[in-house]
Amino acid sequence: MSTPTTGSSTEATPTSPSEDRPEDRTERGPSGQSGSRPAGQAALLRQVASSPAVVGLLAVLTALILSSILILAADSEVRYTATYLFNRPGDFLHATASTLSEAYSSLLRGAVFDWRATTGVRMIRPITDTLTNATPLIIAGLGMAVAFRAGLFNIGGQGQMILGAITACYAGIAWNLPPVAHLLVAVIGAALGGLVWGGIAGVLKARTGANEVIVTIMLNSIAAHLLSQVLSLKAFNGEGETGNRKSLTVADTAQYPSLAGDSFRLHAGFLLALLVAVAVWWLMERSRLGFQLRATGLNADAARTAGMSVPWVTSLVMMISGALCGLAATAPVLGTQKSMDESVVGTIGFDAITVALLGRSRPLGTVLAGLLFGALRAGGTAMQAAPGTHIKIVLVLQSTIVLFIAAPPLIRAIFRIPERRESLGGTDPSPASVPAAPAAKEA
């Protein structure tokens, strides 16, 4: 009789590391089927629900809800029907629906398509106004996004746009050049003006450790006073009188060509904005320089250890960001106003920060956020024509969007969204994925 050999049938077969990991073990139901698929689907849904894009959309939705409450509170008919809400709730609901529908339909008619207009030109003019308003917001927002991705907070977009406006306006007034060359010189001059103004903050940050937030805020004030002084010069207003705070009209050869005819304000600057978005995407995602910018933004010490010159990167980032903000000033100077005054840039430099935050500092997201804020600007005028609706409601909407974008934990708490869990092969945890603007880090 043969005896079984010890270990011949009881020897343990080696298992792969994946079989020993607890997270790879799946529960089996009574039928013996694996439960990994439902678990995987639930994990995927959690990842999608907690993604930055969804959180951003929910922030906009929450801002719309709060703005709607303010619209209703400001309407006299809604307030009156609320006094006898429990006796006749239908009156209150009808007044609420009527007020909100009129307000937001006015917003759509002013920003997308005016279905009440009597001519085709007036029907499609709102969408062209939206694209026109979005042009400087997109370009300046891309400039802010570059700084954010590199871990810097550029507050000086306003001042950089002013310098860009000054140089572009001077090139368009003082020089007499052929059509295409004149426009190129004015556009390049605007970029150089913003580059120099942004480079001041970048060099001070790199060489002395000065906080770029404080420096750029101070440069904004200097630029505003510089603009006021420049407008009093004869080279700009043609008279040399301090009372005239508006420049001459730039030459026709330095103006952006129209894209839709004289009946619309849309100009070729919008195409430039799209080209800049593509260029910024290539710079940040496909170039060696973009890798250095992102690496410095993620961890300046690690970038320095890897042999990167952090001071050089800091200076270059602020120059690029300033150049893009200066380029954004060509939209009003060479496109819509075709001249320069003290309010030529408005609040675009500050609104661009919101655009970059809402777009998660990504080129595509920044373009979409710029279009949204362009629509709010274009539709705000039509919205105030609605009974009981003030144009300041649009500003409240923008401000609340900023509030919720900068506070994603608040959005997650309101909608009970779990925290996002990044896998080993997840996306690049760059400052663009950080809801608020990145903190200023010393180089």
Side-chain angles (χ1 to χ4, degrees):
M1 179 185 297
S2 62
T3 59
T5 305
T6 304
S8 61
S9 61
T10 62
E11 183 179 358
T13 57
T15 59
S16 63
S18 61
E19 296 174 353
D20 292 338
R21 291 183 296 187
E23 60 268 22
D24 290 338
R25 298 173 184 171
T26 59
E27 298 180 358
R28 296 182 178 274
S31 60
Q33 295 180 350
S34 173
S36 61
R37 181 173 298 179
Q41 292 176 351
L44 178 62
L45 290 176
R46 284 195 299 269
Q47 286 286 88
V48 172
S50 59
S51 64
V54 173
V55 173
L57 291 176
L58 291 177
V60 175
L61 176 62
T62 307
L64 285 173
I65 295 174
L66 288 180
S67 299
S68 300
I69 294 175
L70 293 178
I71 292 174
L72 295 177
D75 187 80
S76 58
E77 184 179 357
V78 173
R79 294 198 306 268
Y80 174 71
T81 55
T83 58
Y84 57 91
L85 171 63
F86 296 103
N87 294 331
R88 297 175 61 181
D91 291 352
F92 175 78
L93 295 177
H94 175 74
T96 299
S98 177
T99 300
L100 291 180
S101 62
E102 182 64 25
Y104 288 115
S105 66
S106 299
L107 181 64
L108 289 177
R109 287 190 294 107
V112 182
F113 183 78
D114 188 359
W115 56 86
R116 295 182 183 177
T118 56
T119 62
V121 171
R122 294 182 61 184
M123 285 182 179
I124 64 175
R125 181 177 295 165
I127 186 63
T128 63
D129 289 341
T130 293
L131 299 180
T132 303
N133 293 332
T135 298
L137 291 171
I138 292 173
I139 301 177
L142 290 169
M144 297 297 175
V146 171
F148 291 171
R149 294 287 295 276
L152 298 173
F153 201 174
N154 181 12
I155 304 294
Q158 195 76 3
Q160 292 149 19
M161 285 191 65
I162 290 176
L163 264 292
I166 292 174
T167 53
C169 185
Y170 179 80
I173 293 174
W175 296 342
N176 185 16
L177 298 174
V180 177
H182 202 176
L183 177 59
L184 288 177
V185 169
V187 169
I188 294 173
L192 290 177
L195 182 147
V196 171
W197 213 243
I200 295 174
V203 172
L204 289 177
K205 169 75 173 180
R207 297 301 181 185
T208 67
N211 190 295
E212 76 276 7
V213 174
I214 298 176
V215 173
T216 51
I217 290 176
M218 295 298 102
L219 288 174
N220 284 342
S221 179
I222 296 174
H225 291 290
L226 180 63
L227 175 62
S228 179
Q229 179 64 28
V230 161
L231 287 174
S232 66
L233 300 178
K234 186 176 181 179
F236 284 87
N237 63 27
E239 301 174 0
E241 298 179 0
T242 58
N244 187 5
R245 295 298 181 179
K246 184 176 181 180
S247 72
L248 298 173
T249 303
V250 299
D252 294 340
T253 53
Q255 297 177 10
Y256 281 124
S258 176
L259 294 181
D262 296 336
S263 300
F264 304 96
R265 299 191 305 147
L266 184 62
H267 51 78
F270 179 71
L271 299 181
L272 177 63
L274 298 181
L275 291 176
V276 170
V278 174
V280 169
W281 172 82
W282 180 87
L283 171 68
M284 300 304 299
E285 305 297 338
R286 291 294 182 267
S287 69
R288 179 179 178 181
L289 176 60
F291 174 77
Q292 294 179 352
L293 301 185
R294 290 185 286 115
T296 303
L298 288 173
N299 193 321
D301 293 333
R304 188 180 294 108
T305 303
M308 301 178 190
S309 177
V310 174
W312 177 81
V313 170
T314 300
S315 301
L316 187 60
V317 165
M318 291 302 295
M319 291 180 184
I320 295 174
S321 180
L324 292 176
C325 290
L327 192 62
T330 61
V333 174
L334 306 179
T336 53
Q337 288 187 212
K338 301 178 176 62
S339 62
M340 185 176 64
D341 55 25
E342 290 185 337
S343 61
V344 63
V345 299
T347 59
I348 297 175
F350 297 114
D351 294 339
I353 299 175
T354 307
V355 170
L357 290 176
L358 182 58
R360 320 305 298 184
S361 297
R362 304 285 177 171
L364 178 59
T366 302
V367 171
L368 296 178
L371 292 174
L372 172 62
F373 276 76
L376 292 177
R377 280 173 173 254
T381 304
M383 192 176 184
Q384 70 173 341
T389 304
H390 198 274
I391 192 173
K392 297 297 183 182
I393 291 294
V394 176
L395 301 179
V396 172
L397 178 59
Q398 295 177 356
S399 301
T400 49
I401 289 176
V402 177
L403 172 65
F404 292 121
I405 285 294
L410 179 60
I411 294 296
R412 292 192 177 97
I414 293 174
F415 294 95
R416 300 183 179 274
I417 299 176
E419 289 286 344
R420 182 175 176 84
R421 297 177 180 178
E422 296 290 347
S423 60
L424 293 177
T427 58
D428 176 24
S430 63
S433 62
V434 180
K441 297 189 289 296
E442 296 296 334

